[in-house]
Amino acid sequence: MILLNTPRLLIRDHIKSDLQSHHKLLSDPKVMWFLQDIMTQSLEQSRVNLVQAIDEIDSPQRKYYFLRIENRVTNDHI
């Protein structure tokens, strides 16, 4: 598992309990303005996206790194 700490940020691999905040981020039209091809419309779409990111973590030939970035003070998903 990737886990990086900076004074302001926590950068890590996703976990299952990230679903609600993951969905909030991926379904927000303002946040996803420049990434509309991966924007989700439902919690189920966000769940599929999150599971794909989590599955990639254990791949022996891992090619993709979908990392969660959190504000260390507020724990908000950025």
Side-chain angles (χ1 to χ4, degrees):
M1 172 156 221
I2 293 175
L3 182 61
L4 304 169
N5 285 294
T6 73
R8 292 185 324 114
L9 302 173
L10 171 63
I11 303 167
R12 63 171 174 79
D13 282 314
H14 290 281
I15 57 176
K16 289 180 182 180
S17 62
D18 292 338
L19 180 58
Q20 292 299 323
S21 58
H22 187 71
H23 175 63
K24 182 178 177 184
L25 188 79
L26 287 181
S27 63
D28 186 323
K30 288 183 181 179
V31 172
M32 301 303 290
W33 180 259
F34 293 106
L35 297 169
Q36 293 180 11
D37 57 323
I38 63 168
M39 186 171 140
T40 62
Q41 303 297 321
S42 69
L43 185 62
E44 185 55 33
Q45 287 177 327
S46 295
R47 183 186 325 274
V48 168
N49 180 280
L50 183 63
V51 167
Q52 289 172 339
I54 292 170
D55 286 348
E56 190 65 27
I57 294 168
D58 294 326
S59 172
Q61 291 86 24
R62 186 173 183 177
K63 295 180 185 178
Y64 304 104
Y65 293 82
F66 305 105
L67 302 174
R68 178 181 173 91
I69 303 172
E70 290 181 4
N71 179 310
R72 288 187 66 190
V73 174
T74 64
N75 294 325
D76 287 340
H77 186 191
I78 303 171

